Amino acid sequence: MSSRRPRQSAAPPRITDDQIIELVSKLRQLLPEIRHRRSDKVSASKVLQETCNYVRSLHREVDDLSERLSQLLATIDADSPEAAIIRSLIM
Amino acid sequence: MNHYVSDFEKDDDCAIPTSSTLTRSKRSITSEDEIMELLWQNGQVVVQSQTQMSLKKSQHHKYDNTVLPIEQSTPREIRSSHEQQQHLLMQEDEMAPWLHYPLNDTNFDQDFCADLLYPSTACVTSTTTNTSAAPIRSTHNPEARLHPAVSAATATATATNTATASRPPIPPTRRAEVVQNFAYFSRHRARGGVSESGPSNLKTVLKESTVVDSSDTPAMVSESRISEAAFARSTAGVSSGDNACGIMSGAAVAGTSSRGGGSNNKDLITCEMTVTSSPGGSSASAEPPSQKLATDDRKRKGREDETEYHSEDVEFESTDAKRQLRGSTSMKRSRAAEVHNLSERRRRDRINEKMRALQELIPRCNKSDKASMLDEAIEYLKSLQLQIQMMSMGCSMVPMMFPGIQQYMLPLGMGMGMGMGTEMGMNRPMMPFPNVLAGAPMPTPAAAAHLGPRFPNPTFHMPTIPTPAPDPSRIQATNQSDPMLSAISTQNPNLQHRVLNFSDPYQQYLGLQQTQTPVSQNQAKTRPITSKPGTSQAAENLDNHQSGT
């Protein structure tokens, strides 16, 4: 991110661009797709976009898993330890 | 506005005188052909040689008298207008004539003003049409064409001159050119403070400018004023899409650009402003829109113009052509800078937009600054991944629960539960399950396999705890916690340590206290890194947990 000019709306001055860059790179490492490509040319915008998409996909997956666990829970005894586990997983 | 107005007034006088010189120079620059061309373009599309210049002078007076004779013999008018233009340019102090020039000058005015005032018609029509005085609008094109030459001449004459000049020489579409011309024009104006003097002209110009706004017919306005007003209007007109207006707007832009920041242009702009402001009444309505448009255009082009204007000043005197060339260079630079700024701004906007979107996705994210928000995003992402792993594992593990797993799973599950977002003592209710698992079948390889590829474990950099080989003895020793682990590990080593570490990130993420399960805590401690030790510790932790529970 450029900091050519002081940006009033930007983060407080103590938050430097390097910080942002580092965070973005960390985020990039978490992302499954970009990791495999060259990471030096990925823009922050792309990283953020990928992160949003990834978070959404993870949410979907969580929902899906919760659904499955609920179904599993229904199939086993409510008193079984598995049920407890499942419940814990589902929360 | 006021500011500009004042400047305008001050500069008025100085600007005007230069116009005349410009005219001369322009004339010199423009060969006979040019002159003739100018004339022609002026509105009458009459190619007149310099002879007309003399005529111009005479007409100049006439021009003074006739405020807006416009519809005169086209060739003659063109000539006269041209001459007048030049004449005006030369006669810097003769603001009146210059002012009147556009008005009086038949062809010129018609073409000139027409183009300016009625850019749509004029511009489109092209030079040929401009020739006829009647279609003032048509003159716009010719004026546009003449503009370069005329502009040179008019520049000296001040805004009005420029207007005329701009009209003919500048091709309707050549905003830049117009701008340039305008820049020159403004310069001259600043120098000579030419036309400004004539408030009446202003008014006329204003009126015409108003017309421009309304009807896109710039030609009408007195040249001097018109040019300014027209420019302002033309910007407005241009906005409307008229070439003629474009020219005018170009001038206006030039003027406005100065407003934006160019000192020289300021003069021009001020002139414009004054022009617009002076009449106040009629053009008031027109002015604001035009000004706004002009402002926008100016901002866009003003910078370019400004730079151009400054740099061009000298060149302008020399040659119109050179002037335009040089202007383009500086203009390009400024434009490049502008483009860069714009692109940078867009990029930043995109990034901010995505940051906001990400913030929406992250639960309980109340951070406003980027860094902390990114931090939270990273943590949340990790926790989400962990959670999914856990759940996936749970899905596949449940069918194959075996005795030891519960001990292991529960703490993890509890940790996860806490991490998941309840962030309240969910783990407590979960606590009681620890020893329930009994006789659960060994996890089937299929299940494990299923579990493995099921969810992405892309980023778990956590050190893989070396899958403890199925170790019955160990299992026994560890209170059956290992079987599950080993089972899991056999199938998917990564899962194992992930499971171990699962609760940790969650807790960390949510900042919750370690689950009351000591196991979780132990796991957290063990998480880092080592594989075997972690596993053993986990097993031990489970053991402890069991005992603790």
Side-chain angles (χ1 to χ4, degrees), chain A residues 1-5 7 9-12 15 19-24 26-32 35 43-46 48-49 51-59 61-69 72-73 76 78-91, chain B residues 340-341 344 347-348 350-351 354-355 357-358 361 363 369-372 374-375 377-378 380-382 384-385 387-396 398-399 401 405-406 409-410 413-414 416-422 426 430 433 436-438 440 450 454-456 458-459 461:
Chain A
M1 296 166 201
S2 70
S3 52
R4 292 188 302 111
R5 285 189 201 142
R7 313 189 53 71
S9 58
I15 296 185
Q19 271 181 289
I20 306 283
I21 292 172
E22 181 195 346
L23 291 173
V24 168
K26 269 198 227 168
L27 201 50
R28 191 154 62 216
Q29 288 169 9
L30 292 174
L31 296 180
R35 263 182 329 125
S43 72
S45 165
K46 187 162 165 48
L48 286 175
Q49 183 65 48
T51 303
C52 287
N53 296 339
Y54 190 49
V55 166
R56 290 198 198 98
S57 72
L58 286 184
H59 281 171
E61 190 150 359
V62 164
D63 292 342
D64 184 40
L65 280 173
S66 299
E67 187 71 26
R68 288 183 51 194
L69 283 175
L72 265 180
L73 196 58
I76 63 173
D79 301 332
S80 67
E82 294 92 340
I85 293 175
I86 293 176
R87 284 195 210 97
S88 71
L89 287 174
I90 299 178
M91 296 174 311
Chain B
H340 180 63
N341 291 345
E344 185 65 29
R347 171 177 163 271
R348 279 193 290 264
R350 275 201 301 272
I351 289 179
K354 296 196 166 58
M355 292 276 291
L358 188 56
L361 285 173
D369 57 324
K370 285 185 184 179
S372 53
L374 285 176
D375 271 331
I378 291 171
Y380 181 64
L381 199 53
K382 287 186 197 161
L384 258 190
Q385 285 170 344
Q387 177 181 4
I388 287 185
Q389 279 182 356
M390 282 294 294
M391 291 177 81
S392 303
M393 193 171 60
C395 275
S396 56
V398 166
M401 280 296 187
I405 191 172
Q406 182 169 17
M409 289 291 295
L410 276 180
M414 283 191 278
M416 196 170 61
M418 291 198 320
M420 295 290 239
T422 56
M426 256 249 354
M430 301 301 175
F433 299 119
V436 179
L437 264 187
H450 165 73
R454 196 192 170 293
F455 51 87
T459 57
H461 300 297

Side-chain angles (χ1 to χ4, degrees), chain B residues 2-72:
Chain B
N2 299 333
H3 168 75
Y4 291 119
V5 171
S6 58
D7 294 342
F8 173 83
E9 291 169 352
K10 282 182 277 190
D11 299 328
D12 238 7
D13 298 329
C14 36
I16 296 180
T18 55
S19 59
S20 59
T21 38
L22 286 177
T23 328
R24 274 188 236 102
S25 61
K26 189 161 54 99
R27 245 185 319 179
S28 59
I29 296 169
T30 65
S31 60
E32 290 291 312
D33 300 337
E34 286 182 355
I35 295 174
M36 301 194 296
E37 185 181 10
L38 283 175
L39 295 177
W40 173 73
Q41 289 175 344
N42 261 342
Q44 309 303 334
V45 185
V46 172
V47 178
Q48 301 284 350
S49 58
Q50 294 185 347
T51 55
Q52 295 153 7
M53 296 258 209
S54 56
L55 289 175
K56 168 175 65 76
K57 290 188 183 130
S58 60
Q59 292 185 0
H60 174 73
H61 301 290
K62 170 182 62 166
Y63 175 73
D64 292 342
N65 300 334
T66 58
V67 175
L68 275 172
I70 306 185
E71 286 293 337
Q72 295 174 15

